[in-house]
Amino acid sequence: MSAQMERPAIHVDQSELLCKKGCGFYGNAACQGLCSKCWREENQQSRQKQIQDDWALAARLQKEEEAAYASHQGSQPQPQPQPQPQPQSHSSISPFSKFEDKKTNEKSRKVTTVKKFFSPSARMQPKKDSGHPDTPSPGSSRISAEMDRATHEFIDFLKTLQKPGREIFKQCRAFTESMAYKRDMSAEDQSECVQDFYQNLSDKLHAHYKGATERVELVMDEVEKYMMNRLYEDCFCPETTDDEKKDLVIQKRIRALHWVTINMLAAPVNEEIPAVSDNVVKAITAVIEVDSKRVPREKLTCVTTCSKHIFNAIKITKNEAASADDFLPTLIYIVLKANPPRLHSNIQYITRYSNPGRLMQGEDGYYFTNLCCAVAFIEKLDGKSLNLSQEEFELYMSGQASPQKPLSPSAGGPPSGSGSAMAEQAHQSLDLLTGLGARQEKVLEGARRLERDLIDWCDGVEHGVQDVLERFPLEGGAAAAPAPAPAPADPTAIDSDNVENDKLPAPLQPQLFAR
């Protein structure tokens, strides 16, 4: 292992985990290194700039249209005066008026506040799709049961809040119902709507519970649980994104890196220790369970549980507290071994719809940021990251070689470490078993061939005898019965071996005399 540990371990400075704008909160790769708050501010600024650019374009088009109309009117001969309605100029700019109304509607849609979701105008009747039957899908009953359970738990919790609880439930239900009609919106727009609702409700709760920050966080956790249980099918891996495609790319990438060992990552974990192995298995199980949860907070809890098992495994191995430099390589190893399903979609879902305060600080935010770093490292992993040459890396990726079996000297393979003897012996045993299997297959094939030859020989002899009997039939037209075989000599006769028995007189025959 000393040869493997000579290279520096995978290191990420703590400052690299923070938001790039220096706000002090944790950032993540899904937000381009920004925290969720700064990411939303950047998006809002870019949208405001886009709106201003659109208005500038509209003003320029209006001037050009007015100039074109004026030149067109000047080039035409003056008609005889006829009574006409006076607002000719108004009718000339009516196309722009429609364009202006359209831009106004577009602007008000982009800067929609939470109040619009609660207005009666937002509660339109859904359009019925005639192409889909009203019969529920096979899994609809299970989903409906989960939603009902989440609703009952949310109502029971709000009962403890009394009057504020009734208002919170009313707003949450109205918002979730309005989101059901916005499935065609982009994932970013849906996320912004949800985050705006979180912010608006959080501000109201802070104003009501002055100084009770923990109580507000508890209420917001329950609000998130209720809302995302109802919006999960529409918000997780929506069709408007390429999340599913990226899930397959990451899954294929991790599957191709199955050969990466824990020594290559310089992770201080000894799986030969039973307690360490048990924590590694629990960490793998926890990160796989992320996909089975519906609420972002529950998914984050699975990430935190996985991380704590990793810290326990490192602590048992080193007999001391684990550091951040030890944690990230081990987390990468766990992700490679687990290959969690829909990893990219789960990260995006947490980023878009989790309570922003949970991602920006605290242990959940720290562990989630490290998970994003681990995924980014896996996506960019190359031979240099593992202290391998490019040729060795390509051989391992193609499956032509394996770290468990050292490469030949001509291939420039790395020397085996201190623990390679057992691996080499196991590999030799596998080679021996493979050879025995090939030999057994050859023997079985020879036996099957001999069996076919015997059957063919018997058939040939039988056909030959029949052919001879047909050409040379026996007298009488029928085959005579074969002569009986001579009876074997009685082995108990005393003179059975005497060759001169034929010269002896005939034996005396018993005679019957009259009485």
Side-chain angles (χ1 to χ4, degrees), residues 197-264:
F197 179 83
Y198 285 160
Q199 186 64 41
N200 183 273
L201 183 59
S202 178
D203 293 342
K204 292 182 179 179
L205 291 175
H206 278 290
H208 182 78
Y209 300 105
K210 297 181 180 179
T213 305
E214 295 181 357
R215 188 173 184 83
V216 173
E217 292 179 354
L218 178 62
V219 174
M220 292 303 301
D221 289 342
E222 294 297 328
V223 168
E224 176 189 316
K225 180 180 179 181
Y226 167 75
M227 287 177 46
M228 299 317 301
N229 260 308
R230 299 181 66 87
L231 300 176
Y232 179 79
E233 280 72 25
D234 297 330
C235 296
F236 184 83
C237 193
E239 297 180 356
T240 57
T241 65
D242 58 349
D243 291 347
E244 184 176 359
K245 181 179 178 180
K246 291 183 178 179
D247 285 334
L248 297 177
V249 172
I250 294 178
Q251 190 176 33
K252 184 178 179 180
R253 173 71 172 176
I254 294 177
R255 191 182 298 115
L257 293 169
H258 66 90
W259 49 269
V260 176
T261 63
I262 198 168
N263 291 333
M264 292 181 177

Side-chain angles (χ1 to χ4, degrees), residues 152-165:
H152 291 315
E153 292 178 355
F154 187 55
I155 292 175
D156 293 339
F157 170 78
L158 293 179
K159 287 180 180 179
T160 61
L161 305 180
Q162 298 179 357
K163 184 177 180 180

Side-chain angles (χ1 to χ4, degrees), residues 248-404:
L248 297 177
V249 172
I250 294 178
Q251 190 176 33
K252 184 178 179 180
R253 173 71 172 176
I254 294 177
R255 191 182 298 115
L257 293 169
H258 66 90
W259 49 269
V260 176
T261 63
I262 198 168
N263 291 333
M264 292 181 177
L265 298 170
V269 172
N270 185 4
E271 293 188 80
E272 295 181 0
I273 302 176
V276 174
S277 178
D278 183 60
N279 277 281
V280 169
V281 172
K282 290 180 179 179
I284 293 174
T285 304
V287 76
I288 292 176
E289 287 181 351
V290 171
D291 187 61
S292 64
K293 306 300 181 181
R294 297 169 62 92
V295 183
R297 180 170 62 90
E298 295 176 352
K299 293 180 180 291
L300 282 173
T301 301
C302 292
V303 176
T304 302
T305 302
C306 168
S307 303
K308 290 183 177 180
H309 286 305
I310 291 175
F311 274 105
N312 290 336
I314 298 174
K315 183 178 180 180
I316 296 174
T317 302
K318 298 180 63 176
N319 291 325
E320 60 182 11
S323 63
D325 292 339
D326 298 332
F327 170 68
L328 184 58
T330 311
L331 178 61
I332 295 172
Y333 174 74
I334 293 297
V335 173
L336 290 175
K337 292 303 177 184
N339 197 359
R342 300 190 291 186
L343 181 57
H344 176 79
S345 294
N346 281 290
I347 290 177
Q348 291 296 325
Y349 179 73
I350 294 173
T351 303
R352 293 168 184 158
Y353 302 107
S354 179
N355 191 339
R358 188 176 296 276
L359 294 182
M360 293 189 299
Q361 55 189 354
E363 63 177 5
D364 289 344
Y366 174 77
Y367 294 141
F368 179 71
T369 303
N370 276 273
L371 177 62
C372 295
C373 292
V375 175
F377 178 85
I378 291 172
E379 292 175 341
K380 300 177 182 179
L381 184 64
D382 55 8
K384 185 178 180 181
S385 304
L386 302 175
N387 198 28
L388 299 174
S389 66
Q390 187 63 26
E391 181 182 2
E392 294 168 358
F393 183 78
E394 292 177 357
L395 287 175
Y396 292 156
M397 290 293 291
S398 63
Q400 300 178 8
S402 174
Q404 283 75 20

